[in-house]
Structures are given as C-alpha cells and as structure tokens.
Amino acid sequence: MDKNKVIAIVNQKGGIGKTVTALNLGYALSETGKKVLLIDFDPQSSLTVCFGYDNTDNIQTTIYNLMALAIEEKSLPKMEDYIVKIGNIDLIPCNLELSAIEIALVNVMSRETVLRAIVDEIKADYDYVIIDCSPSLGMLTINALAACDSVIIPVTPQYLSAKGLELLLKSIIRVKKRINPKIEVDGILFTMYAERIKLSKEVLSIIQEAYGSHIHIFENKIPTSVKVGEANMKSKSTIEYDPKNKVSVAYREFAKEVVSL
Ligand SMILES: Nc1ncnc2c1ncn2[C@@H]1O[C@H](COP(=O)(O)OP(=O)(O)OP(=O)(O)O)[C@@H](O)[C@H]1O
Ligand SMILES: [Mg+2]
C-alpha cells in the first residue's frame, strides 16, 4: 500500500457530478492496480444504486449501521460482513437510513469524528478511500471532512455558486482548525465542462482569479456526454461502459493527476 489516502468528494450543491466523479475516479484508480474503497455517504444512495442495487432497503450492513455501532463504542463486524466487492472495487453501501444519523448524533460526544473512527480502522488496507458526500454542509459532510486527508471539489460551470464555494471553503477551514489539521484541498474539478461554450471559459477564469493562487484547479476537465447517464442505468462506471468515450478518457487523465499529488 503506497498511500492510504482518504479523499472526500464534496460540494453542497446537488447534481454537479460528485457521485459520477467518485465512481469513475475509483474505477480509474483500480484499473491501474490501486486498491480502492468507496464509501457511499449520501442518504440518497446514488453511488450504491450505481453498483446495481435496486432495493437499497434490503442491504444488510450499511455505513449507517457501522456509525451506529461506533456511536455505542462497539467494535465493527468483520470487514467481509460489510464491505461489498464489485469487480476490483470495494464499497461500503448506504441507504436512506443514513438520514437519521444527524439526529442520532445530537447527543454524542465527538459527534464530528464518528466516521473517522471507522475509516481509521480500515484505511490501512487501501491505497485510496473515496467518500461520496451528500449535497449539504450538515453533520454528515462535517464527518467526511473530519475523516479525510483531502478534498476534491467538483464544480459545474452552469451551476457555479460563488457564495456556495465560499461557504464550503469556510467549513473546510473550520474543520482544519478544530478537528482535522491535516486536511488539504486537492483541488477543484470542472465537470460537465464544454470547452467551446463561452460560459465555461468565463467561469473558469472567474475561479482562477478568485482561487487559482491558493487552490489547485485540475488540468483535466470532465466534458459532458450522454454515455454518463447510460452507464448509470447499466450500473457501470462511464469508463467501464464506454472506455473510449471522452468522459472516460478525461477521468483517467484526472486520476493520473490525483495519483501525482
Ligand atoms: N460528465 C457528465 N456528462 C453528462 N452527464 C453527467 C456528467 N456528470 C454527471 N452527469 C449527470 O448529472 C447528474 C448528477 O450527477 P451526480 O449524481 O454525479 O451529481 P451529484 O453531485 O452526486 O448529485 P447529488 O448532490 O444529488 O448527490 C446525473 O444524472 C449524472 O448522470
Ligand atoms: Mg451524489
């Protein structure tokens, strides 16, 4: 194991490609021989559904169950009892029950670090642990920020909210000060980026000007393709579904950038 790096894919804005990024980054890394664990940390469970679960209610052990155990300071079950293997990738799945965790955490001491306690126990087995976050800055996302080494922020030109990005960066700084001093921002990843559209270029230059000096902007930008949606429907990553597609090529190149960090 060369890295044992834990990366959270975060943006409180919904629908901007977090889950697609987590899945394709995980797939691209595993293709190059890295051992990868994905954690679905969004009650919407999109990532779990991407792995082919039609009915997430029936899943035996989810990240919610593990957190409930960690809250009670009970030990975790054996890894094979909660880690699902799909091809070369490992997944800790999720279902809607995770939405109840915010309330369960209210009276818990160290409630920001419940996920960290779990991740710390298992990360030694992986090169990369990738956490797919929910579109919020609530206690779930704070747990992900507390548990990770670094953050990747997907941003879509069409839906850029400068205020939203500012709030997200503030949360990261707060977590860095109080709970997780080692956290770094790996960078901003442009998704659904259309090179030829003026808006994309404008948004890129706005972000470069505002943040370029202190936050890395990934060289590779992810274009838009209908194959992404098709792949989702077939419970596959875009790379697996259509390896030569421009989105697949971009995610592979992006994964190389991530490895080189
Ligand atoms: N590069 C792309 N090209 C075309 N469609 C894309 C691309 N990336 C994501 N999408 C589509 O956009 C939608 C949102 O993507 P995704 O689920 O990854 O976003 P998200 O940020 O995880 O959303 P949420 O915050 O709700 O979890 C999905 O329907 C997905 O198929
Ligand atoms: Mg998602």
Side-chain angles (χ1 to χ4, degrees), residues 11 13-21 42 44 46 132-135 191-192 222-226 228-229 232 247 251:
N11 192 333
K13 176 91 196 139
I16 48 86
K18 290 181 291 296
T19 301
V20 168
T21 297
D42 179 359
Q44 298 177 97
S46 319
D132 181 26
C133 292
S134 67
T191 60
M192 298 184 241
I222 312 300
T224 301
S225 164
V226 292
V228 174
N232 278 357
V247 168
Y251 270 120

Side-chain angles (χ1 to χ4, degrees), residues 77-93:
K78 292 194 297 274
M79 274 173 95
E80 55 266 36
D81 291 342
Y82 60 86
I83 285 176
V84 188
K85 289 191 182 291
I86 294 135
N88 285 327
I89 302 184
D90 287 7
L91 168 76
I92 303 184

Side-chain angles (χ1 to χ4, degrees), residues 86-149:
I86 294 135
N88 285 327
I89 302 184
D90 287 7
L91 168 76
I92 303 184
C94 179
N95 61 24
L96 196 56
E97 254 186 325
L98 184 65
S99 57
I101 205 79
E102 304 244 358
I103 293 167
L105 285 170
V106 168
N107 288 320
V108 176
M109 275 210 312
S110 328
R111 62 195 161 135
E112 293 98 346
T113 53
V114 176
L115 181 66
R116 174 154 86 191
I118 296 165
V119 168
D120 282 353
E121 256 188 61
I122 48 190
K123 69 179 181 188
D125 284 353
Y126 294 94
D127 294 309
Y128 290 93
V129 176
I130 299 170
I131 307 171
D132 181 26
C133 292
S134 67
S136 95
L137 285 178
M139 199 39 74
L140 282 175
T141 297
I142 301 298
N143 264 267
L145 294 178
C148 71
D149 298 305

Side-chain angles (χ1 to χ4, degrees), residues 21-252:
T21 297
L23 180 58
N24 281 288
L25 174 61
Y27 195 88
L29 291 170
S30 81
E31 259 186 344
T32 63
K34 307 285 181 207
K35 197 155 182 243
V36 177
L37 172 68
L38 297 178
I39 300 179
D40 188 353
F41 207 49
D42 179 359
Q44 298 177 97
S45 326
S46 319
L47 185 62
T48 304
V49 173
C50 282
F51 275 100
Y53 285 92
D54 301 328
N55 189 352
T56 52
D57 292 345
N58 295 339
I59 298 172
Q60 282 288 317
T61 310
T62 64
I63 191 67
Y64 170 82
N65 302 127
L66 300 182
M67 287 185 77
L69 289 171
I71 288 171
E72 289 173 25
E73 290 176 22
K74 291 191 178 144
S75 50
L76 297 182
K78 292 194 297 274
M79 274 173 95
E80 55 266 36
D81 291 342
Y82 60 86
I83 285 176
V84 188
K85 289 191 182 291
I86 294 135
N88 285 327
I89 302 184
D90 287 7
L91 168 76
I92 303 184
C94 179
N95 61 24
L96 196 56
E97 254 186 325
L98 184 65
S99 57
I101 205 79
E102 304 244 358
I103 293 167
L105 285 170
V106 168
N107 288 320
V108 176
M109 275 210 312
S110 328
R111 62 195 161 135
E112 293 98 346
T113 53
V114 176
L115 181 66
R116 174 154 86 191
I118 296 165
V119 168
D120 282 353
E121 256 188 61
I122 48 190
K123 69 179 181 188
D125 284 353
Y126 294 94
D127 294 309
Y128 290 93
V129 176
I130 299 170
I131 307 171
D132 181 26
C133 292
S134 67
S136 95
L137 285 178
M139 199 39 74
L140 282 175
T141 297
I142 301 298
N143 264 267
L145 294 178
C148 71
D149 298 305
S150 68
V151 172
I152 290 173
I153 307 171
V155 162
T156 301
Q158 300 88 308
Y159 299 116
L160 175 75
S161 151
K163 180 89 188 153
L165 200 53
E166 205 64 54
L167 281 172
L168 172 56
L169 293 171
K170 265 195 194 144
S171 295
I172 295 170
I173 289 168
R174 210 174 307 135
V175 167
K176 190 176 178 80
K177 276 195 187 135
R178 291 186 35 231
I179 2 182
N180 184 7
K182 68 175 192 298
I183 191 173
E184 299 287 346
V185 176
D186 279 344
I188 292 175
L189 171 70
F190 277 85
T191 60
M192 298 184 241
Y193 184 81
E195 197 81 55
R196 279 167 308 169
I197 294 178
K198 209 165 136 229
L199 173 73
S200 291
K201 280 196 187 144
E202 277 172 14
V203 170
L204 176 61
S205 66
I206 289 170
I207 294 212
Q208 259 161 350
E209 221 162 86
Y211 304 107
S213 62
H214 58 291
I215 296 181
H216 177 69
I217 296 170
F218 286 102
E219 200 64 41
N220 287 282
K221 299 174 181 56
I222 312 300
T224 301
S225 164
V226 292
K227 297 287 175 186
V228 174
E230 283 177 31
N232 278 357
M233 303 243 288
K234 294 266 155 68
S235 308
K236 286 192 164 122
S237 64
T238 318
I239 300 178
E240 189 183 10
Y241 179 69
D242 187 359
K244 295 208 169 84
N245 182 269
K246 58 187 175 175
V247 168
S248 306
V249 173
Y251 270 120
R252 279 212 190 89

